[in-house]
Amino acid sequence: LIVPLALYIAWRKKNKLSSMKAHPSNWGLGLIIFSLFCYIVGYFAEIHTLSSLSIVGAIAGITIFFFGYAILKELRFPILLLLFMIPVPAQIYSSLTIPLQLFVSKVSVAVTGLLNVPIYREGNVIHLPDRTLQVVQACSGLRSMISLLTLSAVFGYFALRSNALKMILIISGVPIAVLINIFRVVLMVLAFHYFGIDLASGIAHTSFGIFIFLLAILLIFLVKGVLSVWDAKAANA
């Protein structure tokens, strides 16, 4: 969905772009050649992240070469938005996933323990009297965090004028993703302990995950609403 959205954002600027004079620069050709070199290196070395980054760099270089820096500045957000298409490198993904798994497991057990649920944790494995649950990599919250960062960036672009508030909204996607994932694990434990409902597998797990993600989007909207008030006050001042 990123490419259509980036194209739509660029299309919305068509009137302003048509009124701007192009100032082509040969520096863009240098960036294109460098990006192509990085793509070839990434392709043969199987460094997929480098190959993906080089495509975005080539798009920026083409813009500079044919239209100039002013046009690139005007199109910087839709071009930078393309970066959210690039998967997180496996090394970074692994290094972030394990700490998130343990943190979510630890906090979830602490919260459910306060609710008088007999529970015990070993690493990322949660033990109940009649069931053992495991907070696997998919439950670390990293994937939803990336999705929320993307949505926060888009919401901030359309709803806020202050760059500082836009950055705050984007960063808020990180704690929201972690907190909502803890909430999900706690609800799964409570549902099984008190009602015998298994939300850890099957259609119930998928439906529950969708509900939790929609709740996370709602929290992003709430944060955006608060920041919009501050943004309006700053604009009036």
Side-chain angles (χ1 to χ4, degrees):
L1 298 176
I2 295 294
V3 170
L5 181 59
L7 290 174
Y8 169 72
I9 293 173
W11 178 78
R12 292 179 76 248
K13 295 175 174 288
K14 63 183 185 301
N15 292 332
K16 185 173 183 180
L17 291 172
S18 62
S19 64
M20 298 175 65
K21 187 176 181 179
H23 296 282
S25 173
N26 290 330
W27 286 103
L29 181 60
L31 181 56
I32 294 171
I33 295 173
F34 177 73
S35 298
L36 290 175
F37 173 76
C38 290
Y39 182 85
I40 293 172
V41 172
Y43 178 80
F44 285 102
E46 295 187 357
I47 307 175
H48 304 298
T49 302
L50 180 60
S51 300
S52 302
L53 285 172
S54 67
I55 296 175
V56 179
I59 293 173
I62 291 171
T63 305
I64 296 173
F65 181 66
F66 285 105
F67 304 106
Y69 291 100
I71 301 295
L72 176 66
K73 184 178 180 181
E74 192 64 30
L75 293 174
R76 65 184 182 275
F77 181 78
I79 293 177
L80 289 175
L81 189 64
L82 298 176
L83 295 175
F84 285 108
M85 294 179 62
I86 302 174
V88 178
Q91 297 86 345
I92 298 177
Y93 187 86
S94 299
S95 63
L96 292 177
T97 297
I98 295 175
L100 280 173
Q101 283 179 268
L102 295 176
F103 179 77
V104 170
S105 303
K106 184 177 181 179
V107 176
S108 299
V109 169
V111 172
T112 49
L114 293 175
L115 300 175
N116 296 322
V117 176
I119 194 169
Y120 175 71
R121 179 182 67 89
E122 287 182 316
N124 64 321
V125 179
I126 299 175
H127 297 281
L128 291 167
D130 301 320
R131 181 70 186 273
T132 298
L133 301 173
Q134 184 178 4
V135 181
V136 297
Q137 287 189 355
C139 297
S140 65
L142 187 58
R143 290 181 179 178
S144 58
M145 185 183 300
I146 297 171
S147 300
L148 290 176
L149 288 175
T150 306
L151 291 173
S152 299
V154 174
F155 293 159
Y157 174 79
F158 284 108
L160 301 174
R161 284 165 287 192
S162 169
N163 289 329
L165 294 179
K166 290 179 182 178
M167 187 58 61
I168 292 175
L169 181 61
I170 294 174
I171 295 174
S172 69
V174 175
I176 287 176
V178 175
L179 290 175
I180 207 69
N181 210 42
I182 292 172
F183 181 65
R184 182 167 71 98
V185 174
V186 170
L187 284 184
M188 290 172 64
V189 172
L190 294 177
F192 184 81
H193 179 71
Y194 286 109
F195 305 103
I197 301 175
D198 186 5
L199 297 176
S201 60
I203 298 177
H205 181 71
T206 303
S207 302
F208 184 55
I210 294 174
F211 166 75
I212 290 296
F213 188 73
L214 292 176
L215 184 60
I217 295 177
L218 177 61
L219 292 178
I220 291 291
F221 266 106
L222 292 177
V223 174
K224 180 185 71 67
V226 174
L227 295 178
S228 297
V229 174
W230 295 351
D231 195 43
K233 290 181 179 179
N236 292 333

